């Protein structure tokens, strides 16, 4: 019996069918070991010795695999064909050797790019050893990410309250988003005018031409800057005679796009299908692992984490055969197309993402797939087939037109030049099947078709239009365009893009607004801090150069320990420099860096840093227990505070009628006669009743904006907390209110958070009772309105670490569990809706935080933690955990 190890149970089931009874295929469920999320797991003082540990799930899986391997004839490691897959095989091999179950058993490593019978059988016929260079590149990357996360994040916690963490790639991606926002804020719009003539040929065929010159001078897009200039040209054109002065037609060819890589798939799925990158990868994973197509389980696409654009020769032959049969010989090039990656740090030579069998037409397999799977498969199929089709043949035509004003002998005569451009598709080629979408591009004017014209032909004027325009700021990044920019800069890897974007959102560094990434104040603070005190480590060039060095490691051209020593020398020095850094130094640097954002110029030209309340104090950035805010220098005499972002003044996006300090009057309370206002505070917007030392206030719940708030809703908020029901058993009141962690219902000392669909102002008695009773009973009742997400809902196996990931119902609210790591769900997140892609970054963030401040006794530095040391450390860890639990109440 031969034992084959793959990563997921779905693959195990499919591959077992292909290999037959002589093979037992077992799933590792991803990684079985990892670096413990605490300080000391990577020891620079011991030449970067790494301590690997299997948690309860991992240890159990290793034991089960070891039991299966005993007595086997051969062990075959068949994990994914990338660096992470190579690392999983290495971890398994090391763990099995530690258990001494292999002895003289032969061990083979095989990889296949598609889960099809032929691909699996071919892989089994061509085994190899584990690639040490790929493993070392994994070890170097893992050590780098660990050292940055566990050494830089504590600096943030100490010097910048409210910041959650920093990451090697995450921080650079965040910088891109923040820099784009700063560009938008610095942008000053500029007025310009365009002049367009609608003309007609003698055959009464209409077209448009744009003014491009006057009296021998060229006119660029922004040259006509005032209405007076535009009206003068408009008058002249209305009096002019038009004739064709030149016609130029040039043939052109548009070539098809390369088949998908991970990055381009994420971009196109975002544009065409509206999928977030993490959703794209989730759906693609299922297509790769296989689906039941007419009684046969088969993988539908090749491996979806790749930088490669090459396609196997046999696949190209199949594609060309399909093109010839379905589209005709005219659409088939004379020779197969060969693509090469333009990315200089592309990974190992993997195939592009393509259908495993192009003969499986999307319309034929759609009935076997879920809708999202069918749509993504169709996108991949079309892109793949189009990549081998004939180029489109175009004709680009430019027509220059002379507009003569007045007689040729007149002193008032003028010559104005206009230009019309157009494009004709002579042969559609690959465009008959596929066109690629674009981010942030307006309609291509060249796509307009022009009527036939000859030089000297007279043209009739139909209309002259003078239009006012204003320049626009650069657009915010969409998830697709940010992935594209990261790829262009060489930042990160295909498998990291989706996780990086999700982490930025989970840590509330950015938010998605109208499909665009908007940096939160917390994210801008982190970026400004890193740019001021760790500038090198958020430089695009430095991060890309590090990726290139990791590639050299994977190619056996650079020693991985030398890479780490070189990085650590400068990074440790930068960390040490912050030990003497005072909070006042941080504030001073951030006040300067974020000045244009925090204190934008006012329309009336007054000093934006003058306190609007006392009129004499200076506003500046302050750091509090819960993060940064703006406060007055005259504190405590003046207690003015607001959030980091500048308040609305009635001329921007904020609510009209707001004063300089963000206060807007809503009206008077009919019962007390006191004024009701909505204000901008350090912890967010809130409503206030009257003035005085302790006026009644209420925060605005998530999703409610100051601009949309009226007096009626403000008064309803000010009534909170209020009774909404009686407890069915105790008869005591159940209250609804808004607290530090959002809307809640309360019975005695029991608090239950409202779900995202609950309206704090409209929650009924039954719903309130249901939430409280569910919380008191350990949340074994319903989650949310739809009913039923009981405690222990499984999300499946962790995609990289392995082991079950489960949504649990805890005493203090729902959380997600993986091994010994428990991560609380974000405010407003319905446990019913939680996906694996959302759970993984929550668990990773929690694992980082749980290691903060722990200083375990350092054992002898080895690549593996000795069994005795692990056993000895257990009681201490348990005691420390118990102390921490006793001292710190849970959220």
């Amino acid at each position: 019996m031969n034992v084959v190890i793959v990563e997921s149970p779905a693959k195990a089931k499919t591959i077992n069918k292909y290999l037959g009874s002589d093979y037992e295929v077992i799933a590792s469920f991803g990684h079985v070991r990892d670096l413990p999320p605490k300080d000391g797991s990577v020891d620079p003082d011991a030449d970067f010795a790494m301590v690997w540990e299997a948690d309860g799930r991992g240890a159990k899986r290793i034991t089960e695999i070891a039991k299966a391997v005993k007595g086997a004839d051969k062990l075959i490691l068949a994990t994914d064909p990338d660096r992470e897959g190579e690392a999983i095989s290495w971890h398994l091999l090391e763990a099995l050797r530690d258990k001494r179950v292999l002895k003289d058993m032969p061990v083979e490593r095989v990889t296949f790019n598609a889960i099809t019978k032929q691909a699996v059988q071919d892989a089994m016929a061509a085994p190899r050893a584990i690639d040490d260079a790929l493993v070392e590149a994994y070890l170097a990357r893992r050590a780098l990410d660990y050292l940055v996360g566990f050494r830089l994040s504590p600096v943030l916690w100490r010097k910048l309250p409210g910041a959650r963490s920093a990451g090697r790639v995450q921080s650079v991606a965040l910088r891109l988003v923040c820099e784009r926002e700063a560009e938008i804020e610095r942008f000053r719009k500029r007025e310009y005018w365009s002049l367009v003539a609608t003309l007609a040929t003698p055959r009464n065929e209409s077209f448009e031409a744009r003014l491009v010159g006057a009296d021998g001078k060229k006119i660029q897009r922004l040259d006509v800057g005032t209405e007076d200039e535009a009206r003068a040209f408009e008058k002249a054109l209305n009096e002019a005679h038009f004739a064709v002065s030149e016609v130029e037609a040039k043939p052109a060819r548009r070539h098809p796009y390369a088949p998908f890589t991970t990055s381009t798939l994420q971009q196109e799925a975002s544009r065409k299908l509206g999928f977030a990158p993490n959703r794209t990868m989730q759906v693609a994973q299922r297509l790769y692992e296989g689906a039941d197509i007419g009684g046969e389980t088969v993988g539908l696409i090749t491996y979806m984490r790749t930088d490669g654009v090459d396609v196997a020769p046999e696949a190209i032959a199949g594609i060309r055969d399909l093109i010839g049969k379905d589209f005709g010989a005219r659409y088939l090039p004379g020779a197969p197309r060969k693509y090469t990656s333009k990315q200089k740090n592309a990974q190992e030579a993997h195939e592009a993402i393509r259908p495993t069998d192009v003969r499986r037409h999307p319309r034929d397999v759609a009935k076997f797939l879920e809708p999202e799977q069918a749509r993504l498969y169709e996108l991949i199929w079309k892109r793949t087939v189009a990549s081998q089709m004939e180029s489109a043949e175009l004709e680009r035509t430019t027509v220059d037109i002379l507009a003569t004003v007045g007689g040729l002998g007149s002193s008032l005569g003028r010559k104005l030049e206009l230009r019309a451009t157009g494009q004709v598709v002579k042969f559609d080629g690959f465009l008959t099947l596929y066109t690629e979408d674009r981010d942030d591009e307006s309609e291509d004017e060249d796509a307009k078709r022009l009527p036939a014209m000859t030089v000297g032909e007279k043209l009739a004027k139909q209309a002259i239009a003078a239009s006012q325009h204003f320049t626009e700021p650069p657009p915010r990044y969409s998830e697709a365009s940010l992935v594209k920019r990261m790829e262009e800069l060489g930042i990160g890897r295909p498998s990291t893009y989706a996780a990086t974007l999700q982490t930025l959102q989970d840590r509330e560094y950015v938010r998605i607004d109208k499909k665009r990434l908007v940096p939160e104040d917390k994210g801008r603070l982190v970026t400004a801090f890193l740019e001021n005190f760790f500038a090198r480590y958020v430089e695009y060039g430095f991060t890309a150069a590090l990726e290139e060095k990791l590639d050299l490691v994977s190619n056996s051209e650079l020693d991985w320990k030398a890479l780490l020593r070189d990085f650590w020398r400068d990074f440790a020095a930068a960390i040490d420099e912050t030990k003497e850094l005072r909070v006042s130094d941080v504030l001073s640097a951030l006040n300067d860096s974020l000045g244009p954002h925090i204190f934008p110029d006012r329309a009336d030209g007054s000093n934006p840093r003058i306190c609007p309340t006392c009129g004499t104090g200076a506003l500046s950035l302050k750091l509090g227990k819960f993060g940064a805010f703006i406060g007055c220098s005259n504190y405590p005499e003046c207690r003015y505070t607001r959030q980091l972002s500048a308040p609305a003044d009635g001329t921007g996006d904020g609510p009209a009628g707001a004063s300089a300090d963000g206060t807007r009057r809503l009206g008077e309370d009919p019962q007390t006669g006191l004024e009701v206002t909505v204000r901008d505070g350090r912890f967010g917007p809130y409503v206030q009743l009257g003035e005085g030392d302790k006026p009644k206030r209420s925060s605005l719940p998530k999703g409610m904006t100051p601009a949309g708030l009226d007096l009626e809703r403000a008064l309803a908020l000010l009534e909170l907390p209020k009774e909404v029901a009686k407890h069915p058993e105790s008869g005591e009141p159940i209250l609804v209110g808004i607290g530090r962690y959002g809307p809640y219902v309360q019975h005695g000392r029991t608090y239950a958070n409202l779900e995202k669909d609950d309206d704090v102002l409209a929650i009924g008695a039954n719903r309130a009772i249901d939430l409280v009773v569910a919380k008191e009973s350990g949340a074994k009742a319903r989650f949310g309105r739809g009913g039923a997400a009981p405690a222990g809902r499984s999300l499946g196996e962790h995609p990289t670490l392995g082991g079950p990931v489960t949504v649990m119902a805890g005493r203090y609210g729902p959380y997600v569990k993986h091994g010994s790591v428990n991560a609380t769900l974000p405010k407003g997140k319905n446990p019913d809706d939680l996906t694996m892609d959302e759970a993984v970054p929550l668990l990773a963030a929690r694992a980082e935080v749980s290691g903060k401040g722990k200083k375990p006794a350092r054992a002898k530095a080895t690549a593996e933690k000795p069994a005795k040391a692990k056993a000895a450390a257990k009681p201490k860890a348990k005691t420390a955990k118990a102390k921490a639990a006793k001292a710190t109440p849970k959220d």
Side-chain angles (χ1 to χ4, degrees), residues 557-691:
E557 299 175 38
L558 179 64
D559 178 69
W560 70 286
K561 291 287 185 72
L563 185 158
L564 292 176
R565 285 191 288 268
D566 182 55
F567 173 85
W568 180 250
R569 181 181 61 252
D570 295 332
F571 184 68
I575 294 289
D576 289 340
E577 289 175 5
T578 65
K579 290 180 179 178
E580 304 301 322
L581 185 64
R582 295 176 297 178
V583 173
S584 60
D585 297 328
V586 173
L587 289 174
S588 177
L590 297 186
N591 265 309
D592 291 340
S593 297
L594 295 174
H597 169 60
I598 304 173
F599 309 110
D601 294 335
R602 290 179 178 171
D604 60 5
S606 60
N607 185 352
R609 295 186 185 238
I610 293 296
C611 177
T613 298
C614 68
T616 59
L619 300 180
S620 64
L621 187 67
K622 309 287 185 183
L623 292 179
K625 181 179 179 181
F626 303 108
F629 64 97
I630 302 302
C632 179
S633 60
N634 285 338
Y635 179 86
E637 288 77 14
C638 178
R639 294 178 175 270
Y640 171 81
T641 62
R642 67 167 170 84
Q643 287 182 292
L644 198 63
S645 298
D649 59 6
T651 61
D653 295 332
S659 64
D661 63 353
T663 300
R664 183 167 65 97
R665 185 180 183 277
L666 297 174
E668 290 184 355
D669 177 8
Q671 293 185 0
T672 65
L674 296 175
E675 187 176 63
V676 179
T677 54
V678 59
R679 305 180 179 221
D680 195 11
R682 58 189 289 191
F683 303 118
Y686 63 93
V687 292
Q688 177 171 312
L689 179 64
E691 299 291 342

Side-chain angles (χ1 to χ4, degrees), residues 10-133:
K11 280 197 286 186
K13 182 179 178 181
T14 303
I15 292 170
N16 219 111
K17 292 180 181 179
Y18 296 156
L19 296 179
S21 59
D22 291 337
Y23 293 83
E24 181 181 4
V25 185
I26 304 174
S28 74
F29 296 95
H31 277 283
V32 295
R33 304 189 308 179
D34 197 9
L35 296 170
K38 58 186 179 184
D39 196 17
S41 296
V42 177
D43 189 355
D45 296 331
D47 201 22
F48 303 96
M50 303 171 74
V51 177
W52 300 101
E53 187 177 85
D55 61 12
R57 192 280 316 166
K60 181 180 179 182
R61 201 66 198 144
I62 291 171
T63 300
E64 292 172 352
I65 292 173
K67 183 178 179 181
V69 168
K70 281 184 179 179
D73 298 321
K74 184 190 299 181
L75 172 64
I76 302 172
L77 300 168
T79 50
D80 285 345
D82 58 8
R83 295 176 187 175
E84 206 68 24
E86 205 73 19
I88 291 172
S89 286
W90 175 80
H91 275 300
L92 281 167
L93 188 58
E94 293 292 302
L96 293 173
R97 282 172 175 167
D98 287 347
K99 283 188 169 290
R100 303 180 184 278
V101 297
L102 295 178
K103 298 181 180 179
D104 297 326
M105 183 184 302
V107 178
E108 296 176 348
R109 170 81 170 113
V110 301
T111 59
F112 36 82
N113 195 46
I115 303 178
T116 63
K117 187 172 184 178
Q118 187 64 49
V120 171
Q121 290 177 344
D122 289 347
M124 293 296 172
R128 61 170 173 82
I130 285 182
D131 190 324
D132 292 334

